[in-house]
Amino acid sequence: MNAARHSAETVLEASGVTMVFGGLTALNDVSLSLPEGRIVGLIGPNGAGKTTFFNCLTGLYTPTRGAVRLRGKELPHDPAKVTTAGIARTFQNIRLFPNMSVLENVLVGRHIRMRQGPLASLFHGPGFRRDERRAREKSLELLEFVGLRGVEDEVARNLPYGDQRRLEIARALATEPDVLLLDEPTAGMNPQETEDARQLIFRIRETGISVVVIEHDTKFIFSLCDTVSVLVQGEVLVEGSPDVVREDPRVIEAYLGKPREEVEAEVAEAAAHHGADHQGPAAGRRDDA
Ligand SMILES: Nc1ncnc2c1ncn2[C@@H]1O[C@H](COP(=O)(O)OP(=O)(O)OP(=O)(O)O)[C@@H](O)[C@H]1O
């Protein structure tokens, strides 16, 4: 993994990313800047364009307009080359090799950093064996790091759901990224697993890796991220520190589909009714008694 570096430098920069599918503009002029060693959150309602944005960052989609740069260098529209350049990701729907062992899943990620070419592996020369041994050691270290040491020989599909998510992170880390993109890393997790995931992401940042996280769980995002961008209908609505974003009335409106004042009035009204309801049945029961 990378040593921690100066935190002010921008490591990943997306500028003016627009993605049009047929008649649908999924992203419109979206820009995002990820400073080195920071965690940036990307939130927004369903269909806002979050995963499409990740797909543009990782070369899976070629944006209709705009560019993505890693340390100032424009990234190719080729997922394998983007991974080699230093961006790793996990997916909303876990994409492990279910019938391979836990260790083998991590080794797959490690493969892109192995120096020996296919001929060496054919002849299993000393260079190949040395590389294999290092890859195995490194993968076991990563399993230790994510808290999965001891289950390396299990078949991946037999792991509990939360552990499968951690394994996906270990595989992504095996590619030695500068930037890690996590698409809903806590989906389906219980509160303890969610807290463990939060701590794991903090530890990943401590190693110098910069992180972008998509999540629906805003409580998780606000307690994790250095800055948060809110995407609504393919556009960045608000960006800033968690405190600023959390309090922005436009964010509340975007999430609940109504102005903040209306939401507050409804909450007050519901509370008043709740009080009245409490009195009603209780009085009724007294009458019945
Ligand atoms: N390959 C595609 N072809 C056509 N439309 C697409 C494609 N991928 C995404 N879209 C559309 O783009 C819009 C944004 O979808 P996207 O999955 O990026 O949203 P999201 O914010 O990740 O949503 P969710 O939170 O539900 O995962 C949606 O209207 C979706 O239907």
Side-chain angles (χ1 to χ4, degrees):
M1 255 173 263
N2 308 312
R5 296 184 206 94
H6 193 264
S7 64
E9 190 194 330
T10 296
V11 57
L12 181 71
E13 180 123 57
S15 21
V17 172
T18 296
M19 184 79 221
V20 180
F21 298 110
L24 176 91
T25 302
L27 295 171
N28 186 23
D29 199 19
V30 174
S31 296
L32 181 132
S33 181
L34 175 64
E36 183 116 56
R38 299 280 167 84
I39 304 173
V40 170
L42 192 59
I43 61 171
N46 286 331
K50 303 178 296 294
T51 298
T52 301
F53 187 59
F54 265 20
N55 289 343
C56 290
L57 296 180
T58 53
L60 213 54
Y61 290 165
T62 302
T64 313
R65 280 189 299 282
V68 181
R69 292 186 183 82
L70 185 69
R71 300 189 188 288
K73 197 165 171 233
E74 190 157 345
L75 286 167
H77 307 299
D78 176 331
K81 286 185 182 154
V82 169
T83 309
T84 310
I87 299 187
R89 78 177 288 183
T90 65
F91 291 86
Q92 200 173 333
N93 305 311
I94 296 172
R95 292 194 190 176
L96 292 170
F97 296 101
N99 296 320
M100 282 166 51
S101 76
V102 167
L103 180 62
E104 283 164 347
N105 266 277
V106 184
L107 282 165
V108 169
R110 189 76 212 141
H111 195 251
I112 69 152
R113 298 292 172 207
M114 288 170 71
R115 272 171 298 158
Q116 300 290 317
L119 271 183
S121 70
L122 201 63
F123 296 116
H124 284 210
F128 172 78
R129 280 197 297 274
R130 195 178 51 240
D131 258 16
E132 285 284 301
R133 199 170 50 245
R134 276 209 205 111
R136 195 184 145 82
E137 280 164 11
K138 182 79 190 167
S139 299
L140 288 172
E141 270 171 33
L142 283 170
L143 286 173
E144 177 93 46
F145 182 76
V146 302
L148 287 178
R149 192 67 211 272
V151 295
E152 54 268 20
D153 296 326
E154 289 277 339
V155 176
R157 72 178 134 78
N158 289 343
L159 290 187
Y161 190 73
D163 286 355
Q164 291 194 21
R165 286 220 174 270
R166 283 196 279 173
L167 176 54
E168 229 196 354
I169 291 176
R171 187 178 60 184
L173 293 176
T175 67
E176 296 186 353
D178 285 330
V179 172
L180 178 64
L181 308 178
L182 301 170
D183 196 345
E184 298 196 27
T186 70
M189 283 188 175
N190 65 34
Q192 184 56 53
E193 288 172 329
T194 301
E195 177 54 21
D196 291 347
R198 199 169 73 97
Q199 295 305 328
L200 175 59
I201 298 168
F202 283 141
R203 285 193 289 119
I204 289 170
R205 179 180 59 181
E206 276 167 26
T207 69
I209 296 175
S210 316
V211 185
V212 185
V213 190
I214 292 176
E215 256 302 340
H216 279 284
D217 181 347
T218 47
K219 197 168 145 242
F220 175 80
I221 281 285
F222 291 142
S223 65
L224 173 77
C225 297
D226 299 301
T227 59
V228 178
S229 282
V230 185
L231 209 57
V232 176
Q233 292 180 359
E235 296 188 8
V236 176
L237 181 73
V238 181
E239 61 180 323
S241 70
D243 284 348
V244 167
V245 170
R246 189 178 14 219
E247 288 302 313
D248 194 302
R250 290 170 298 170
V251 176
I252 298 171
E253 185 174 345
Y255 265 89
L256 301 171
K258 331 179 157 162
R260 183 187 185 131
E261 298 72 36
E262 217 175 288
V263 173
E264 283 171 351
E266 278 179 23
V267 170
E269 200 181 330
H273 273 155
H274 188 65
D277 286 349
H278 262 285
Q279 280 183 357
R285 275 198 298 279
R286 268 203 306 276
D287 288 344
D288 291 339

